[in-house]
Amino acid sequence: MFDGPFDVFALIIAIIAVLIAIKASSQAVELRRRLASLEEMFYAQRQVQPPPLMPAQVQAEAPATTATEPPPLAPEAEAAPPPLVTEEVSPRPLAASTEADAPPPLAASTEAYAPPPLPAPAPGFEERLGTRWVVWIGGLALALGGFFMVRYSIEAGLVGPGVRVFLGGLFAAALLGAGEWSRRKESISNIAALPIANIPAILTAAGTAVAFATIYAAYALYGFLVPATAFVLLGIVAMGTLAAALLHGPALAGLGVVGAFVTPILVSSGKPDYWALYIYLAIVTAASFGLARIRLWRWLAVTTIAFAVLWIFPGLDTSELQVAPHAFHAIAGFVLAALLVVCGFMFGPTIEDGEIEPVSSSSLGAYLFGAMLIVLSSAHADLALIAFTLLVGATLLVAWRAPAATGALGAAAATVFIVFAEWAVRANPDMLVLPGGPMPGVGPTAIDGAVTLHLVMAAIFASGFGIAGFLAQGRSSSAVIPVVWSAAAVATPIAILVALYARIAHLDRSIPFAILAVLLAAAFGAATEALARREDRPGAATSVALFATGTLGALALALTFALEKGWLTIALALMSLGTAWISLQRPIPVLRQLAAIFAAIVTARIGYDPRIVGDAVGTTPIFNWLLWGYGLPAASFWGASIFLRRRGDDPPLRIVEAAAILFTALLAFMEIRHLATGGRMTSPPSLLEFALQVCVALAMAIGLERLRLRSRSIVHNVGAVALTAIAGLISVFGLLILENPWLLSSVDVGGLVFNLLLLGYALPAVLMLLLSYAVAGHRPVAYANTIAGAALVFALTYLTLEIRRFYHGPVLLYGATTGAEQYTYSIGWLGFGVVLLGVGILVNSERARLASAAVIALTILKAFVIDMSTLTGVYRALSFMCLGIVLVAIGWLYQRILFRRQVAPPPAPQAST
């Protein structure tokens, strides 16, 4: 492509030149834009001054101004030209107007015409590197240098512990002094974010971080300080950092907080003291939250919370978990966040009523998450559970007092469910309760101390969330806050009940849990009625809907706990029907969604086990568990769809209608499979099964085609097409290919007339023909003609297979085809074509006549391709003779009957004149 290196270099230079030209062009365009904007600003501010009049113009205008002789002009007036008169004004002495109309002095005009100052250019890469990044990195390097010097001195044994602490304090004091000296030297006292790196702030931040490390090492590593002294000194440093950050701005706050939280990692010991660590972190957290509260720095509060939660993890992976200090860390952080971070609670910032503030909610949720981790890592130790319970109760209290923290209710509900769910699935044999009771010889029973504590916690959580969520309705002018309370009040008790059922009853039938579910449903129902009778408040409708949903959900759980697997499926389907009926009595929008949810749950349940009750389906045809497991849900969903349709067509209605169609089809298909396999549902399919499935699918498609014309439902429309497609697939691959008794299957088709061929080919042909007439005029012509063509194919297939049955007996796969059989095929096809033609003539159906033409054309093709080469003797002659006679007769019918032309009489001769 290129002749040498010179061409390559030339191409590269050209590309570079193009890029440079493009950049220069863009810069020129930008410069022109800026110049134009400056010119517009300059001319907009400039006042247009009228030009002075010439003496001739003054003399010409003087007679027009006054008829009398003007007084003599003063010297000042002679020097000042008169203004240009642009409109008629009342006459006045010229001397009086000259002083007012005189142009401004030159200095004033110059100031008015001065252009505005140009904006300062944005700092370039080199400026940012030299004024910001280098200083920031230098401050961080100073702090890290102090930390690593302490570590090196410890590892090398250069100096004693006392000297190390003294040198660390001396280095911290030097950094703090340098920072304060530079601040006073430069007279800098910035509180807001600085446009450049603030050197005094960086030095002060490094000094505070080293001070934190030194005091912590003196207390935790060497024991020079008792806990009280260390607490006071760390508090003094924290308060000093707070005061310094108020002077030096957020840069110091950020570096100070990061350094304080990283200090325990850099200056560590082989045996960690978690009490010392978490007391230290509590002081740092309090100082950081206080600074964030004073300056309203959300980022500082969020950073502090993130570091504090991360410090929970290091002690969780140890075999001997110290629960007490970890619980203290979670509780202390939660209390500090509630006091200083949560808006509208105690010392937190103020906020408008009814607004959920993200930082307030997430701060409480973060410490709840930490408490949950402690519970899970300690294998649900009693102290961890008690601390977790206290924090959940405190969350309810804070959210009740401060609506800004309402979002923490979701975190509280989620962590409660995770704790109980993990306890339910934990592989603890000593607590595992099997359906027949506890495992013998393993240990404590189901009512030991740990289980009792969990049950007490469950009762506290369920009643606390439920009662608080009900009482919180109507307390806020916001629509979101009561909805969050009601959602937590409904979801938490149900989730706890499910977890306890899984843990104690091991997912087996349990009447006590069913009774608890019924009581919970009654409580939710009473709350629904009480809220429905109240006056309309923001969020009231949604809250009523949520409590109504809880009522139905608890009833569904009661049925789940009390019934076997098969009856559970039926019960959930009946719940969908009942919910749809209730939605008519109480027009709550969420009830429609709930009916759809129940339908979806039942559908998922069927996908998990299509036989519903496993191997206990039974062997009785039709009247077995499939009839109840699919028939009753199908009837329930059809009834629910009727109820839901009375109030409009929406997605919940469509979901229920789809479930009704699905369960109706599954009922038919599963019953057919049960009948065809004799109850052995895993057996391979057969010709009988395929035939029945095709007939049922076509019959349901015809019914849906009729139904959709009245309902105008898109689900009925799609369902009819889907069933037609399913019938087509089974017809082609099942009946015509896989189970075709002449091609692949050696099935015994039965008697001469009443056999499987009648069921598998003749009846589908009739149903296809009926379906084609059902869709005619309502769907595209090609759709109807395709179904009619399939009916013709199956009718011809049935005729062919019946002829073979006559010659070969009930098994059609074996045996050679004789000449008489080939001749019978031709005669039978020809007669079928004639019958179709006669029907087409009698009922005036063009479709039937075209089908006749197709069959006769196929017969002609067979005669010239197969009969001519395989038949011999009289059969060949008779075949062609009959074919010729029929063709001539058909031609005569078309000429004389179908397309008869009237011959016009000859014109009468004209008389000659």
Side-chain angles (χ1 to χ4, degrees):
M1 182 175 180
F2 299 102
D3 296 334
F6 178 79
D7 294 339
V8 177
F9 288 132
L11 178 61
I12 295 174
I13 293 172
I15 294 174
I16 294 174
V18 170
L19 295 177
I20 293 174
I22 293 174
K23 183 176 180 181
S25 175
S26 61
Q27 291 177 349
V29 171
E30 179 65 19
L31 289 175
R32 286 196 296 269
R33 186 187 64 79
R34 291 187 178 183
L35 181 59
S37 63
L38 290 176
E39 290 178 353
E40 290 177 0
M41 294 173 61
F42 175 78
Y43 287 113
Q45 294 182 359
R46 181 177 179 180
Q47 296 180 359
V48 180
Q49 296 294 331
L53 295 177
M54 298 302 293
Q57 294 174 329
V58 175
Q59 295 176 2
E61 290 181 1
T65 305
T66 177
T68 61
E69 187 70 20
L73 296 176
E76 295 81 359
E78 292 179 358
L84 178 63
V85 179
T86 57
E87 59 181 0
E88 294 184 359
V89 295
S90 59
R92 59 176 177 170
L94 184 59
S97 63
T98 54
E99 184 177 356
D101 297 335
L106 182 60
S109 302
T110 306
E111 293 180 0
Y113 300 154
L118 295 176
F125 172 76
E126 183 178 2
E127 182 179 357
R128 290 194 298 268
L129 179 64
T131 60
R132 302 182 185 182
W133 300 345
V134 172
V135 180
W136 292 337
I137 296 173
L140 181 61
L142 285 174
L144 291 178
F147 298 151
F148 290 131
M149 180 59 69
V150 174
R151 168 168 285 188
Y152 173 72
S153 66
I154 294 173
E155 295 174 352
L158 298 178
V159 292
V163 178
R164 298 170 195 167
V165 173
F166 174 75
L167 292 178
L170 188 62
F171 183 59
L175 289 175
L176 292 173
E180 181 62 19
W181 177 83
S182 59
R183 184 185 70 85
R184 295 186 179 185
K185 186 71 175 178
E186 300 178 8
S187 298
I188 297 177
S189 180
N190 295 330
I191 293 179
L194 302 176
I196 61 175
N198 190 354
I199 295 176
I202 299 297
L203 294 175
T204 306
T208 56
V210 175
F212 273 120
T214 303
I215 298 174
Y216 176 74
Y219 164 66
L221 299 181
Y222 310 122
F224 293 155
L225 302 175
V226 295
T229 305
F231 182 86
V232 172
L233 291 178
L234 289 175
I236 292 173
V237 175
M239 296 303 104
T241 304
L242 172 61
L246 289 174
L247 291 175
H248 294 280
L252 176 62
L255 289 177
V257 168
V258 173
F261 277 102
V262 174
T263 294
I265 299 177
L266 300 177
V267 184
S268 59
S269 62
K271 296 181 65 177
D273 186 351
Y274 286 105
W275 275 113
L277 171 65
Y278 288 137
I279 290 174
Y280 163 76
L281 291 180
I283 297 173
V284 173
T285 302
S288 180
F289 281 168
L291 176 60
R293 170 62 185 92
I294 293 174
R295 300 307 305 161
L296 295 179
W297 290 338
R298 290 187 176 185
W299 64 269
L300 183 59
V302 173
T303 305
T304 304
I305 293 169
F307 276 112
V309 173
L310 288 176
W311 264 113
I312 296 178
F313 287 92
L316 297 180
D317 57 351
T318 59
S319 58
E320 297 180 358
L321 175 61
Q322 300 180 21
V323 178
H326 284 78
F328 166 77
H329 177 56
I331 294 174
F334 184 94
V335 171
L336 290 172
L339 293 177
L340 299 174
V341 177
V342 176
C343 298
F345 184 80
M346 298 301 291
F347 308 107
T350 59
I351 194 174
E352 295 183 2
D353 184 25
E355 181 179 354
I356 298 178
E357 205 273 320
V359 177
S360 301
S361 301
S362 60
S363 62
L364 302 183
Y367 287 105
L368 283 171
F369 174 75
M372 179 196 71
L373 292 180
I374 297 171
V375 172
L376 301 184
S377 300
S378 64
H380 295 248
D382 292 349
L383 182 58
L385 289 174
I386 293 173
F388 177 73
T389 304
L390 292 176
L391 291 189
V392 172
T395 301
L396 295 177
L397 176 62
V398 175
W400 181 274
R401 175 66 177 80
T406 307
L409 293 175
T415 52
V416 166
F417 173 71
I418 292 174
V419 166
F420 279 92
E422 197 270 346
W423 178 67
V425 300
R426 176 175 287 275
N428 287 337
D430 57 335
M431 293 184 184
L432 184 60
V433 179
L434 298 178
M439 297 179 65
V442 175
T445 62
I447 56 173
D448 61 3
V451 175
T452 303
L453 181 58
H454 281 81
L455 293 177
V456 172
M457 288 176 52
I460 294 174
F461 289 150
S463 58
F465 276 94
I467 296 174
F470 174 75
L471 296 178
Q473 304 303 312
R475 295 184 67 249
S476 176
S477 59
S478 172
V480 178
I481 292 177
V483 170
V484 175
W485 275 103
S486 58
V490 171
T492 306
I494 290 179
I496 293 174
L497 184 61
V498 171
L500 292 178
Y501 168 71
R503 180 65 180 85
I504 297 176
H506 201 60
L507 300 179
D508 197 11
R509 292 180 66 242
S510 176
I511 299 301
F513 275 101
I515 295 174
L516 288 177
V518 171
L519 295 177
L520 184 61
F524 286 151
T528 303
E529 290 298 322
L531 293 177
R533 289 193 297 266
R534 291 184 181 180
E535 61 180 4
D536 191 14
R537 294 293 299 273
T542 306
S543 297
V544 171
L546 288 173
F547 278 103
T549 303
T551 304
L552 296 175
L555 288 176
L557 287 180
L559 295 174
T560 303
F561 299 157
L563 300 177
E564 296 288 350
K565 297 179 180 179
W567 289 110
L568 173 61
T569 303
I570 297 172
L572 292 177
L574 293 175
M575 290 293 295
S576 179
L577 175 62
T579 306
W581 179 79
I582 294 175
S583 67
L584 291 180
Q585 313 303 320
R586 295 277 192 232
I588 302 174
V590 75
L591 292 178
R592 300 176 66 87
Q593 284 83 359
L594 188 60
I597 291 174
F598 281 127
I601 292 175
V602 176
T603 304
R605 166 71 180 84
I606 294 301
Y608 172 74
D609 186 5
R611 295 177 298 176
I612 301 178
V613 291
D615 297 331
V617 176
T619 58
T620 304
I622 307 300
F623 297 99
N624 47 53
W625 247 108
L626 296 174
L627 179 62
W628 319 121
Y630 284 96
L632 290 179
S636 299
F637 294 146
W638 281 113
S641 66
I642 294 174
F643 291 142
L644 294 177
R645 181 165 290 280
R646 294 180 182 178
R647 292 190 178 273
D649 189 352
D650 56 357
L653 169 64
R654 296 169 186 174
I655 293 175
V656 174
E657 286 181 341
I661 296 173
L662 176 63
F663 272 79
T664 304
L666 289 177
L667 171 64
F669 290 160
M670 296 298 290
E671 285 286 9
I672 289 171
R673 179 151 189 78
H674 184 275
L675 175 65
T677 60
R680 296 180 295 273
M681 306 291 288
T682 58
S683 300
S686 60
L687 177 62
L688 174 64
E689 181 178 353
F690 283 146
L692 291 175
Q693 287 177 349
V694 169
C695 293
V696 169
L698 291 174
M700 287 191 294
I702 294 172
L704 285 179
E705 289 290 349
R706 298 297 185 187
L707 180 60
R708 77 178 185 90
L709 298 179
R710 297 199 307 267
S711 65
R712 304 295 180 183
S713 172
I714 187 174
V715 176
H716 296 161
N717 186 11
V718 174
V721 176
L723 287 172
T724 303
I726 292 173
L729 292 175
I730 299 176
S731 300
V732 173
F733 295 100
L735 296 178
L736 297 181
I737 298 177
L738 296 178
E739 292 298 324
N740 191 321
W742 193 358
L743 296 180
L744 300 176
S745 177
S746 59
V747 61
D748 187 343
V749 298
L752 184 61
V753 177
F754 298 100
N755 49 35
L756 288 179
L757 301 178
L758 184 67
L759 180 64
Y761 298 93
L763 185 56
V766 175
L767 292 174
M768 290 177 185
L769 183 63
L770 295 177
L771 180 60
S772 68
Y773 280 103
V775 301
H778 305 289
R779 293 193 183 274
V781 177
Y783 185 83
N785 290 340
T786 301
I787 299 175
L792 177 62
V793 170
F794 267 76
L796 191 60
T797 302
Y798 170 71
L799 177 62
T800 304
L801 294 177
E802 271 294 334
I803 293 174
R804 187 167 181 81
R805 168 66 183 83
F806 178 79
Y807 282 96
H808 292 266
V811 180
L812 311 184
L813 185 61
Y814 307 108
T817 303
T818 62
E821 183 179 351
Q822 284 287 2
Y823 174 73
T824 307
Y825 290 143
S826 300
I827 295 299
W829 291 6
L830 192 61
F832 181 56
V834 172
V835 171
L836 287 177
L837 178 61
V839 172
I841 294 174
L842 291 177
V843 300
N844 194 21
S845 173
E846 182 182 4
R847 182 183 297 176
R849 296 194 299 268
L850 292 177
S852 170
V855 173
I856 292 175
L858 184 63
T859 306
I860 295 173
L861 182 64
K862 178 182 180 299
F864 284 94
V865 174
I866 298 177
D867 294 353
M868 185 176 292
S869 59
T870 58
L871 294 180
T872 58
V874 67
Y875 289 116
R876 179 188 297 178
L878 290 176
S879 175
F880 279 90
M881 289 173 60
C882 293
L883 178 61
I885 294 173
V886 171
L887 292 179
V888 171
I890 292 174
W892 182 83
L893 289 174
Y894 270 85
Q895 291 178 5
R896 297 294 182 179
I897 299 177
L898 292 178
F899 299 99
R900 181 178 180 180
R901 297 183 179 180
Q902 297 291 339
V903 180
Q910 297 180 354
S912 59
T913 55

